[in-house]
Amino acid sequence: MGTILAVAGLLVAVCGLIWQVRVFAHQVKESHSALNRGTQEAIEENIRQRQRATLDFIGTTIERQHALYTRINADPDFLTKASDHTRKEFMDLRSYLGYLENIAAGVNLGIFDQTVVDRTVGSRLVRAWERYGVWIQETREFQDNRRLFEELEHLAEKLPAITPVVKKTDSPEPVVA
């Protein structure tokens, strides 16, 4: 009878141990799930904060951007004048591209949100590189500074290309017989 009681006691102890291991495994699983949810929420909040900071920066500097943009686009001969490193137009273009360079550096470093920049000023960044890329290359050579506006170049290459807008006409296409 003592052996049966000992076996029964051992069986109860083993069953209790199995039950505790299962409870512990369940707790570990729940903790892991909670950690994953918390991590995901922190990542999403970080993204929202970066997007908000990007919008704030662009919003607070938009007047400066427009003033620089207007100055360099007001004169059809602006780029010719800006090729002379002693002229005011040279410094105006450097200022405008420097502003875009700061935005591009922020995106390339992960400080600014690329999607927000693309949707707000992305076309300006791409157009600036398209319009002034040759000028930038010449200025790099003249100043012996191969890194001049490299952040702008890298970001312009990453952003989607700008497709030209095709204007629709009211008249149908001519029919060739």
Side-chain angles (χ1 to χ4, degrees):
M1 182 63 130
T3 307
I4 294 176
L5 285 174
V7 171
L10 184 60
L11 189 57
V12 168
V14 169
C15 287
L17 181 61
I18 291 172
W19 179 78
Q20 285 200 346
V21 168
R22 291 187 69 186
V23 167
F24 179 71
H26 178 72
Q27 289 173 340
V28 167
K29 183 179 175 185
E30 288 299 314
S31 294
H32 189 265
S33 294
L35 179 62
N36 285 343
R37 279 191 309 275
T39 302
Q40 187 59 39
E41 288 171 3
I43 289 169
E44 290 169 2
E45 180 59 24
N46 186 336
I47 291 169
R48 280 191 296 277
Q49 291 293 331
R50 187 175 59 221
Q51 290 171 333
R52 186 175 299 122
T54 304
L55 280 172
D56 288 348
F57 177 80
I58 291 171
T60 57
T61 61
I62 197 80
E63 287 183 34
R64 179 172 184 262
Q65 180 197 94
H66 283 295
L68 291 167
Y69 182 81
T70 301
R71 235 183 324 192
I72 68 172
N73 286 294
D75 182 359
D77 295 326
F78 178 85
L79 192 54
T80 302
K81 293 174 185 175
S83 295
D84 181 349
H85 298 266
T86 63
R87 293 189 62 120
K88 178 184 176 301
E89 288 83 354
F90 175 82
M91 290 311 297
D92 287 346
L93 185 53
R94 273 199 63 126
S95 292
Y96 179 66
L97 294 174
Y99 170 78
L100 297 178
E101 176 79 352
N102 287 337
I103 293 174
V107 171
N108 293 339
L109 291 169
I111 297 167
F112 290 152
D113 185 80
Q114 182 173 329
T115 302
V116 172
V117 167
D118 184 29
R119 293 176 75 173
T120 55
V121 294
S123 62
R124 284 236 172 122
L125 290 162
V126 173
R127 282 231 199 275
W129 180 253
E130 289 172 352
R131 287 183 182 161
Y132 306 115
V134 172
W135 181 89
I136 290 170
Q137 296 295 348
E138 291 170 356
T139 304
R140 284 175 177 169
E141 290 174 20
F142 176 78
Q143 294 183 347
D144 193 27
N145 181 358
R146 63 182 172 78
R147 297 191 65 195
L148 186 68
F149 305 118
E150 75 176 353
E151 299 293 336
L152 175 61
E153 179 180 7
H154 293 290
L155 183 57
E157 290 171 353
K158 284 195 293 189
L159 293 177
I162 300 171
T163 54
V165 176
V166 178
K167 294 183 180 180
K168 294 182 179 180
T169 60
D170 291 335
S171 59
E173 292 290 308
V175 178
V176 179

